[in-house]
Amino acid sequence: MTAVNGRISDIFLGKTDGANEAKQVNFEDLFYDGDGWYDELNETDKFLVTGRKGTGKSILINYFSKKIKSKKNISEIYQTSRVMERKLSIIGNNRIKDEEMGAFWHFILLDFLLKLVLKEVRGSLFSRGKELQKTVKELDFGLQNLMVTDKIDASIGANSNHGISANIGGVSEETKQFNKIEYYDKIDELQDALFKVIKNSRKNFYMIFDDLDELSSKFAGKEYFIKMIKSFLTELKNFNEDLYSYDLSSKVIATLRTDVINQLQIEGSNLAKLTKDSAIEMKWSSPRQKTDPWTVPIAKMVLNKIRVSLPEYKTLNNRELYKLFFEDNTKRKLEKTAIDYILQNSFGRPRDIVLFLSDYKKMFPEDNRFGYRKLTQSLGEFSKDFYNELQNEMSISSLKDEQLEFLDKIRNSKVREYTFEEINNLLYNGEKEKEKLEKLITSLYKLGILGVVKGDRGNKTYEFYYRDGAPEQPSFANRFLLHAAIKRYLSI
């Protein structure tokens, strides 16, 4: 076997923040495309990237943005802070009325798109775009009032090109009050004019809004956040359909966590068709297996990073590279691969693997391979990172307080497996309503905190929601097992 030269500290495993990883000079080589997500995102009807936190949504859209960029294709990624800055500039901290949320998002998309177009077009098209900015200012002012009243007072002046121009706070040739219908007509006029500028530019514009779930900390109240995200997704679909109807190849893309999508469904939002037809769900089908661990998708991702980080090994296939850099446990009855150990003690997401192996590198920087025994020693440090990530996921749950209470009570009980009745006794002295307790346990199951125990003693199997083939709902007749990394963090 080829000897390993150098140390594992020379391997770039990735960053927990996809935007930071995208700054790497060789980012496009480091990227692992899994199930062909890049090609799928290139399809006309795909514009929403979903997945659990840490599955690589930000990395995918950064890769997509870099790959499509050319003289013809213009792409820009927007973080939620940019959206909030624009919202604050329009209506400050005021709450947007439910019935006007769609108008708000439609205006935001047009506003951002116009700014992007103006950065790329020249000559008469640039002049045309600058004229449209006057319309944006008028609509901006009108939107401030639309959020609060049914009437919009604005100063409208004649304009030879578009029939409208703004004179906010000044004197115009004509002063007029117009209602909602007239306001929406102005939005349509702006969209029509802007799309014609794009068509004449012969360029394609891609706007990508990343981490929409982060808006949960920006909007006051969970109910308000849910309504705003539901409205955004509806407008996202409509806006892309409008672009397509103008025969434009431009597109607006967004990323959103799967648990937020699920929460929208719980709240009664009919998004099933949109998520089925227009979304790409990033799931890492990484089954635990004792043989051929180099064939597991998450292992392929790591091996690709090793190959790119250490070019002297680029000619080795995955099997050769794995055997060179990973040491498995070969003891009888305890036989297990290094990758299987990581999968057992995580959710099997790219971020988990990056965190786990990065903690290993910090503890054993002089090593030249990832040893099984030392992986077990790294679990304690990784479990802290793992728990912090989990808390972030729980932050938008309506059951957050009860979920945290459950973990606190579990810590004190020092028990690893529970029946439905034992959980009820632990938390509520057996007095919790059956339906409400089922809802809590289901939420813990879908977060991956609890798994379902099948079989007895030497023939036990475990079902965790994040693994392939797991049922959508847990069986309440079975026992429940705490996730391995959480057991380690809670010292159970």
Side-chain angles (χ1 to χ4, degrees):
M1 181 183 292
T2 306
V4 177
N5 298 315
R7 301 171 302 179
I8 58 171
S9 54
D10 298 325
I11 300 171
F12 177 79
L13 293 167
K15 303 278 189 180
T16 55
D17 186 327
N20 287 334
E21 182 164 340
K23 295 174 184 176
Q24 297 293 314
V25 176
N26 55 353
F27 169 69
E28 291 178 37
D29 294 325
L30 288 163
F31 179 78
Y32 175 72
D33 195 22
D35 290 337
W37 294 307
Y38 170 75
D39 288 337
E40 195 173 357
L41 193 52
N42 263 307
E43 295 175 12
T44 303
D45 61 343
K46 300 295 183 182
F47 52 78
L48 181 63
V49 180
T50 70
R52 200 168 175 180
K53 184 177 174 64
T55 51
K57 300 182 297 297
S58 294
I59 290 178
L60 172 61
I61 55 105
N62 273 277
Y63 179 78
F64 177 85
S65 181
K66 287 177 179 290
K67 287 289 285 185
I68 63 169
K69 274 184 180 177
S70 64
K71 289 183 178 180
K72 184 178 179 181
N73 294 329
I74 313 303
S75 176
E76 187 156 336
I77 297 174
Y78 303 93
Q79 301 300 322
T80 53
S81 58
R82 293 281 298 277
V83 176
M84 287 307 299
E85 286 169 8
R86 191 66 181 99
K87 183 259 184 186
L88 290 171
S89 73
I90 300 172
I91 61 168
N93 289 315
N94 293 319
R95 179 178 176 130
I96 301 170
K97 293 193 297 184
D98 293 0
E99 63 269 26
E100 307 305 344
M101 288 177 178
F104 168 78
W105 286 121
H106 199 124
F107 175 78
I108 288 291
L109 293 176
L110 284 172
D111 181 46
F112 276 55
L113 183 56
L114 176 58
K115 288 184 174 68
L116 182 58
V117 169
L118 281 172
K119 291 197 304 185
E120 301 297 334
V121 297
R122 301 291 180 268
S124 61
L125 290 178
F126 179 79
S127 300
R128 182 79 163 169
K130 291 296 286 184
E131 291 169 1
L132 292 179
Q133 281 196 318
K134 298 176 183 178
T135 307
V136 168
K137 288 181 180 178
E138 176 191 354
L139 293 171
D140 194 335
F141 179 76
L143 192 62
Q144 296 174 34
N145 293 278
L146 190 63
M147 298 299 102
V148 181
T149 66
D150 290 339
K151 292 288 184 181
I152 305 167
D153 292 309
S155 298
I156 312 293
N159 181 291
S160 59
N161 290 317
H162 309 294
I164 52 176
S165 67
N167 191 356
I168 306 304
V171 179
S172 66
E173 298 175 7
E174 178 187 355
T175 300
K176 173 185 177 182
Q177 183 184 70
F178 58 94
N179 58 31
K180 287 184 181 181
I181 294 176
E182 291 172 314
Y183 180 83
Y184 293 143
D185 286 343
K186 301 299 182 186
I187 285 275
D188 292 340
E189 289 175 20
L190 172 63
Q191 177 171 295
D192 181 67
L194 177 56
F195 285 7
K196 285 177 179 176
V197 169
I198 294 174
K199 195 172 188 68
N200 290 328
S201 74
R202 297 183 180 180
K203 294 177 183 288
N204 302 317
F205 293 86
Y206 295 84
M207 296 196 303
I208 306 172
F209 293 86
D210 193 20
D211 283 338
L212 286 174
D213 40 272
E214 296 298 326
L215 288 173
S216 63
S217 63
K218 310 293 184 184
F219 292 135
K222 173 177 168 286
E223 182 182 354
Y224 181 47
F225 163 69
I226 291 295
K227 287 180 178 179
M228 284 293 285
I229 291 298
K230 175 190 174 184
S231 176
F232 175 82
L233 293 178
T234 301
E235 284 305 313
L236 179 66
K237 179 178 183 294
N238 294 339
F239 201 84
N240 279 305
E241 288 179 349
D242 288 346
L243 287 166
Y244 182 77
S245 71
Y246 274 74
D247 198 26
L248 299 174
S249 296
S250 299
K251 186 193 289 191
V252 185
I253 297 168
T255 69
L256 189 62
R257 277 173 20 196
T258 305
D259 55 315
V260 178
I261 296 285
N262 293 339
Q263 194 67 39
L264 290 171
Q265 300 285 21
I266 291 172
E267 298 296 329
S269 302
N270 186 19
L271 295 174
K273 189 174 186 300
L274 186 150
T275 54
K276 181 178 180 180
D277 296 341
S278 303
I280 299 168
E281 184 177 4
M282 297 191 71
K283 294 181 70 173
W284 290 81
S285 302
S286 296
R288 293 177 53 198
Q289 55 191 63
K290 292 183 178 181
T291 60
D292 301 343
W294 49 88
T295 64
V296 175
I298 207 74
K300 291 179 182 178
M301 181 200 77
V302 175
L303 295 173
N304 179 64
K305 290 180 183 292
I306 294 175
R307 194 176 283 112
V308 173
S309 301
L310 304 172
E312 59 267 37
Y313 302 106
K314 65 181 179 181
T315 60
L316 298 184
N317 61 37
N318 283 346
R319 179 181 181 278
E320 294 168 333
L321 201 60
Y322 179 87
K323 287 186 172 294
L324 196 62
F325 282 93
F326 287 90
E327 177 189 27
D328 295 333
N329 184 359
T330 56
K331 293 181 180 179
R332 293 190 65 182
K333 294 185 178 181
L334 296 176
E335 185 177 355
K336 187 180 293 183
T337 69
I339 290 296
D340 187 47
Y341 182 81
I342 295 173
L343 292 176
Q344 180 185 358
N345 290 281
S346 71
F347 290 150
R349 306 167 298 188
R351 186 173 296 175
D352 294 333
I353 281 36
V354 168
L355 287 170
F356 209 130
L357 295 182
S358 293
D359 286 334
Y360 185 110
K361 283 171 57 178
K362 290 175 186 175
M363 293 177 68
F364 310 106
E366 301 300 320
D367 283 13
N368 59 9
R369 66 193 312 213
F370 296 100
Y372 185 92
R373 182 177 59 82
K374 290 182 179 178
L375 276 175
T376 65
Q377 296 173 34
S378 306
L379 178 59
E381 193 63 31
F382 167 72
S383 69
K384 299 174 187 176
D385 298 325
F386 181 83
Y387 192 78
N388 288 336
E389 290 284 319
L390 187 60
Q391 282 187 308
N392 186 284
E393 282 196 72
M394 285 190 283
S395 63
I396 68 161
S397 174
S398 58
L399 297 171
K400 175 187 174 183
D401 292 340
E402 290 183 84
Q403 291 164 351
L404 290 174
E405 182 187 5
F406 168 80
L407 290 170
D408 185 58
K409 294 285 182 68
I410 286 287
R411 183 200 295 268
N412 294 327
S413 74
K414 301 296 182 182
V415 179
R416 299 182 177 189
E417 289 187 16
Y418 292 88
T419 64
F420 183 91
E421 290 74 19
E422 287 168 343
I423 293 176
N424 197 1
N425 290 330
L426 178 72
L427 291 177
Y428 311 109
N429 296 319
E431 297 177 359
K432 186 73 170 179
E433 292 179 24
K434 181 174 180 291
E435 185 176 332
K436 290 182 178 179
L437 184 57
E438 287 179 352
K439 186 176 180 181
L440 172 62
I441 292 175
T442 299
S443 74
L444 294 167
Y445 169 72
K446 291 196 171 183
L447 279 168
I449 294 173
L450 289 179
V452 177
V453 182
K454 295 289 188 71
D456 297 310
R457 298 194 178 183
N459 194 32
K460 283 184 179 180
T461 59
Y462 307 99
E463 288 180 344
F464 281 92
Y465 183 67
Y466 57 87
R467 291 180 185 164
D468 277 356
E472 190 67 22
Q473 299 290 329
S475 168
F476 300 108
N478 291 84
R479 297 183 68 83
F480 296 94
L481 173 77
L482 200 62
H483 187 280
I486 299 174
K487 285 189 292 187
R488 179 60 180 266
Y489 176 79
L490 299 178
S491 300
I492 297 177

